[in-house]
């Protein structure tokens, strides 16, 4: 790896949302998350902590309608930032995978930095909501990420019964 800083900052403003997102791939796991959606904020903070990427997200949207536009646009910004921060992919391996437990839940994620967007999402979540967050929006988030990052992503729930853990 070179000494080049692998980071990106994205600002997206539409009639429904405004998103500011900064990602530093070679960080310490620090984060500042303000999304108006506590569960999504929690998940983004955990991503930052466990990946050691620094992440700042500020998002406002038409959440009085629902959270869909905001979640999707955060995913688009996340994917764009990832694509920009990765750059020419020098020093990175094209493929990666992880199998992760969270109490009774077990999930597998496989990624290919192929340049071709594709999402395979097999995650049956038993609850329609975690807190106030609609669990169906998780797939929308990841679809936006893969489409804007140009990656192939497979997410499979192997087992699990608690929607929050899944």
């Amino acid at each position: 790896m070179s000494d080049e800083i692998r980071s990106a900052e994205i600002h997206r403003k539409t009639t429904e949302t405004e998103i500011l997102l900064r990602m530093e791939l070679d960080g310490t796991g620090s984060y500042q998350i303000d999304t108006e959606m506590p569960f999504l904020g929690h998940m983004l903070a955990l991503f930052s902590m466990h990946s050691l990427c620094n992440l700042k997200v500020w998002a406002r949207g038409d959440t009085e309608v629902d959270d869909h536009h905001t979640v999707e646009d955060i995913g688009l910004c996340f994917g764009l930032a990832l694509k920009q921060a990765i750059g020419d992919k020098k020093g990175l391996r094209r493929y990666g995978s992880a199998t992760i437990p969270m109490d009774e839940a077990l999930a597998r994620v496989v990624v290919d930095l192929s340049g071709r967007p594709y999402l395979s999402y097999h995650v049956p979540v038993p609850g329609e909501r975690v807190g106030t967050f609609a669990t169906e929006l998780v797939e929308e988030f990841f679809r936006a990420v893969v489409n804007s990052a140009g990656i192939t992503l497979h997410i499979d729930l192997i087992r699990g019964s608690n929607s929050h853990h899944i």
Side-chain angles (χ1 to χ4, degrees):
M1 282 310 296
S2 69
D3 291 334
E4 183 179 324
I5 296 173
R6 298 184 305 163
S7 66
E9 186 168 307
I10 306 295
H11 178 224
R12 177 179 172 86
K13 185 172 175 66
T14 70
T15 56
E16 291 99 4
T17 67
E18 184 172 7
I19 314 294
L20 295 164
L21 188 145
R22 178 162 176 74
M23 178 184 292
E24 298 173 4
L25 295 183
D26 305 305
T28 60
S30 70
Y31 59 87
Q32 293 178 351
I33 311 292
D34 184 359
T35 67
E36 299 182 307
M37 293 166 282
F39 183 73
L40 180 60
H42 173 64
M43 297 309 293
L44 291 169
L46 289 173
F47 165 81
S48 178
M49 287 172 28
H50 293 293
S51 69
L52 299 178
C53 292
N54 295 343
L55 185 64
K56 292 182 182 180
V57 180
W58 179 88
R60 293 295 177 266
D62 58 353
T63 55
E64 70 281 357
V65 175
D66 76 6
D67 295 340
H68 180 94
H69 295 132
T70 308
V71 170
E72 183 177 38
D73 284 4
I74 291 170
L76 288 170
C77 292
F78 189 99
L80 284 172
L82 184 62
K83 183 176 186 174
Q84 287 180 22
I86 287 173
D88 64 6
K89 304 176 194 170
K90 207 174 240 179
L92 298 178
R93 295 186 181 195
R94 178 176 163 176
Y95 304 103
S97 66
T99 303
I100 304 295
M102 172 59 66
D103 298 340
E104 89 299 342
L106 183 63
R108 176 182 52 234
V109 178
V110 182
V111 65
D112 177 4
L113 304 178
S114 63
R116 294 184 307 276
Y118 181 79
L119 175 65
S120 175
Y121 185 85
H122 297 281
V123 184
V125 182
E128 291 183 12
R129 294 195 172 278
V130 173
T132 60
F133 188 80
T135 55
E136 68 183 6
L137 295 177
V138 175
E139 183 173 4
E140 294 304 317
F141 172 83
F142 284 115
R143 187 170 320 286
V145 170
V146 301
N147 285 334
S148 58
I151 61 175
T152 296
L153 185 64
H154 291 258
I155 305 173
D156 297 297
L157 178 65
I158 297 168
R159 69 182 60 89
S161 58
N162 182 299
S163 298
H164 182 98
H165 296 159
I166 292 169

